[in-house]
Amino acid sequence: MTEPTYAGLLLEKRGHTAIVTLNNPPAHTWTDHSLSALTRLVQDLETDRDVYALVITGAGEKFFSAGADLKLFAPTATGTDKATAATMARRFGEAFETLAAFHGVSIAAINGYAMGGGLECALACDLRVAEEHAVMALPEASVGLLPCAGGTQWLAWNVGEAWAKRMVLLGERADAATAQRIGLVDEVVPRGQALERALALAEKVGQQSPSAVRACKRLIQGARHGSPQQTLVAEREAFIDLFDTADRSEGVSAFLEKRPPQWKNG
């Protein structure tokens, strides 16, 4: 059976981890086709019960992703093409919201510039590892636009309102050290080591029950929207629901029998 292909993206699987490499040289800008491909790719991974983690990075050493190609939004002889803008905004939203909802743990290995939609892609992931030369920004307002793929929301959730305003309203860039200090990235590693570190983190995911990880991720993300009272009730209900899974039975048995668990992801 022929493996599916995804425009502008490369997919590799190592054990329980899927590695997605952004591959639209030179700056790995997003297109209508690559955004649709990312949506489809993540949806395909959702059906693969052997995939517990997803690592996303950029090909080469300079760019994670420079975001959208601004040529798409250039004025035309008949004026601004709002139809193209609407299509791209919808594609960005679909792609990154699908990525954010991925059932396992997603990790961005930021190996260079992550600008605009590139940073928003990383923000849609659960964790972010940046190489020491990486630079991150949401510069859309400097060209009369705004981050429309979760940037204003996910950035504020991660770094707080003040730094979100500095980056979005003032156009400030964050180098890797600053990004770690403000909580935009979780770790900073030397040049060329982001993917290796991200894979090491992904390996830890395989030690956890996939069923429990899936439930915990929903609860953690749900805290962004609901009140603690609502989420605490959902937490208790999810705990009880795990008693219907094979993973719960296997996890407890493995602990008591002093052996590594063999997860069934169900």
Side-chain angles (χ1 to χ4, degrees):
M1 183 176 178
T2 303
E3 290 291 324
T5 58
Y6 306 95
L9 307 171
L10 301 176
L11 174 63
E12 176 188 355
K13 294 179 184 177
R14 297 187 194 175
H16 294 297
T17 301
I19 304 170
V20 178
T21 302
L22 308 181
N23 188 40
N24 182 27
H28 312 316
T29 50
W30 291 102
T31 68
D32 179 2
H33 298 299
S34 63
L35 289 167
S36 295
L38 180 62
T39 300
R40 182 163 51 89
L41 186 155
V42 176
Q43 289 172 340
D44 288 346
L45 292 178
E46 292 281 7
T47 67
D48 189 337
R49 301 190 70 79
D50 287 330
V51 173
Y52 303 163
L54 185 163
V55 172
I56 187 163
T57 193
E61 300 179 351
K62 187 174 181 180
F63 287 97
F64 176 78
S65 169
D69 186 346
L70 280 180
K71 292 178 183 177
L72 292 171
F73 308 127
T76 65
T78 57
T80 304
D81 189 350
K82 290 183 67 175
T84 298
T87 297
M88 288 297 292
R90 184 172 65 253
R91 292 284 187 264
F92 268 116
E94 291 169 348
F96 296 165
E97 287 167 33
T98 301
L99 175 60
F102 172 63
H103 68 257
V105 177
S106 54
I107 306 169
I110 304 173
N111 58 313
Y113 286 98
M115 315 297 284
L119 179 55
E120 287 173 304
C121 176
L123 285 166
C125 294
D126 299 309
L127 301 172
R128 285 162 291 283
V129 177
E131 294 183 5
E132 57 190 3
H133 66 288
V135 178
M136 287 145 272
L138 292 177
E140 285 86 348
S142 67
V143 294
L145 298 172
L146 61 78
C148 70
T152 62
Q153 303 303 297
W154 290 328
L155 183 64
W157 283 328
N158 280 278
V159 306
E161 185 174 317
W163 264 102
K165 286 178 175 177
R166 287 177 66 161
M167 293 185 70
V168 176
L169 306 185
L170 307 185
E172 288 196 19
R173 296 185 175 194
D175 59 20
T178 300
Q180 184 178 32
R181 177 168 58 83
I182 66 177
L184 178 52
V185 302
D186 305 287
E187 295 187 29
V188 175
V189 297
R191 181 185 290 265
Q193 295 185 21
L195 179 58
E196 178 184 351
R197 180 56 183 153
L199 289 172
L201 292 173
E203 186 70 20
K204 293 184 178 182
V205 180
Q207 300 170 19
Q208 309 289 93
S209 156
S211 302
V213 166
R214 187 161 53 247
C216 289
K217 179 172 174 175
R218 284 198 302 266
L219 289 164
I220 292 170
Q221 292 182 333
R224 299 170 174 173
H225 312 290
S227 69
Q229 290 76 17
Q230 291 173 318
T231 308
L232 287 170
V233 172
E235 185 179 68
R236 293 191 291 272
E237 292 173 346
F239 172 80
I240 296 168
D241 288 343
L242 287 175
F243 279 76
D244 294 326
T245 68
D247 278 353
R248 189 277 313 172
S249 178
E250 168 63 12
V252 173
S253 296
F255 177 82
L256 295 175
E257 295 166 13
K258 297 180 172 58
R259 60 173 175 82
Q262 301 297 315
W263 303 121
K264 305 299 182 183
N265 195 9

